[in-house]
Amino acid sequence: QVQLVESGGGLVQAGGSLRLSCAASGRTFSGYVMGWFRQAPGKEREFVAAITWSGGNTYYVDSVKGRFTISRDNAKNTVYLQMNSLKPEDTAVYYCAAKFGSGSYWKAAAFGSWGQGTQVTVSS
């Protein structure tokens, strides 16, 4: 199973930006999809964004389109989530995840590897 470690969370004012990082173990992630999910208190874990490791194809939930950008650095085995124009509604614990194959990238249950999570708090 892939080991994932998130970092970069913190407290930011509405309209501000944060950049999350997810460091992944392994020599290669060819054929994998990397995802970002978030979970706010009292809510279910929600899909945020995903990227295919080899092709760099990206996918986003509608609520973050135009504000968030997922990317990866293959040489560093790291996935990023650049979050701009943050809103209080974005407050949550953010998790990175990995699975083989790009199918069902929006389903948390389809991912077998998860990071520990990093807290993002957006104040109004």
Side-chain angles (χ1 to χ4, degrees):
Q1 197 168 47
V2 178
Q3 180 180 331
L4 305 170
V5 180
E6 303 100 329
S7 62
L11 175 65
V12 65
Q13 293 183 342
S17 299
L18 284 173
R19 185 189 186 223
L20 306 183
S21 298
C22 176
S25 66
R27 188 174 180 85
T28 178
F29 291 92
S30 178
Y32 278 75
V33 60
M34 310 296 293
W36 285 97
F37 293 77
R38 64 188 181 187
Q39 188 164 23
K43 295 187 176 182
E44 296 182 355
R45 192 163 297 187
E46 174 192 27
F47 167 75
V48 178
I51 185 168
T52 59
W53 191 259
S54 297
N57 304 110
T58 58
Y59 311 90
Y60 300 92
V61 67
D62 287 345
S63 61
V64 309
K65 287 181 178 178
R67 300 189 298 122
F68 291 10
T69 303
I70 187 171
S71 62
R72 87 281 196 232
D73 186 331
N74 298 59
K76 295 181 178 180
N77 281 353
T78 301
V79 179
Y80 305 96
L81 185 67
Q82 179 66 46
M83 305 185 294
N84 299 326
S85 301
L86 282 162
K87 304 175 181 180
E89 306 95 273
D90 296 317
T91 296
V93 176
Y94 283 70
Y95 300 88
C96 63
K99 68 181 291 289
F100 183 78
S102 60
S104 301
Y105 59 84
W106 64 94
K107 297 180 179 179
F111 286 75
S113 299
W114 292 87
Q116 82 287 351
T118 185
Q119 176 70 48
V120 172
T121 302
V122 184
S123 62
S124 60

